[in-house]
Amino acid sequence: MAGKELVRSTDDRVIAGVCAGLASYLNLDPGVVRIITVVVSLFTGVPIIAYLIAMFVLPERATRLR
């Protein structure tokens, strides 16, 4: 059994794949994570800073060769 890994998505990205990667890690729909990120950003601005940090810190999902 492979463990979960928090990585940026390369398949379902809008900007850098952070929200899609987080959604995959949490087993949620990427649209839900994006909406939550936007709503919380309107009130606090914290997700914007967290997104920028995650964009540089999280590795991209390794693509598998077929």
Side-chain angles (χ1 to χ4, degrees), residues 2-61:
K4 284 187 171 185
E5 186 176 24
L6 182 58
V7 293
R8 290 187 294 135
S9 174
T10 56
D11 301 332
D12 189 18
R13 63 172 53 184
V14 173
I15 297 175
V18 175
C19 288
L22 183 61
S24 175
Y25 183 78
L26 297 174
N27 293 325
L28 294 172
D29 182 53
V32 172
V33 175
R34 291 178 183 123
I35 290 170
I36 291 171
T37 302
V38 169
V39 170
V40 175
S41 293
L42 292 173
F43 294 107
T44 66
V46 173
I48 296 169
I49 296 167
Y51 191 96
L52 291 172
I53 292 170
M55 191 167 61
F56 293 108
V57 173
L58 292 178
E60 284 187 340
R61 176 180 299 140

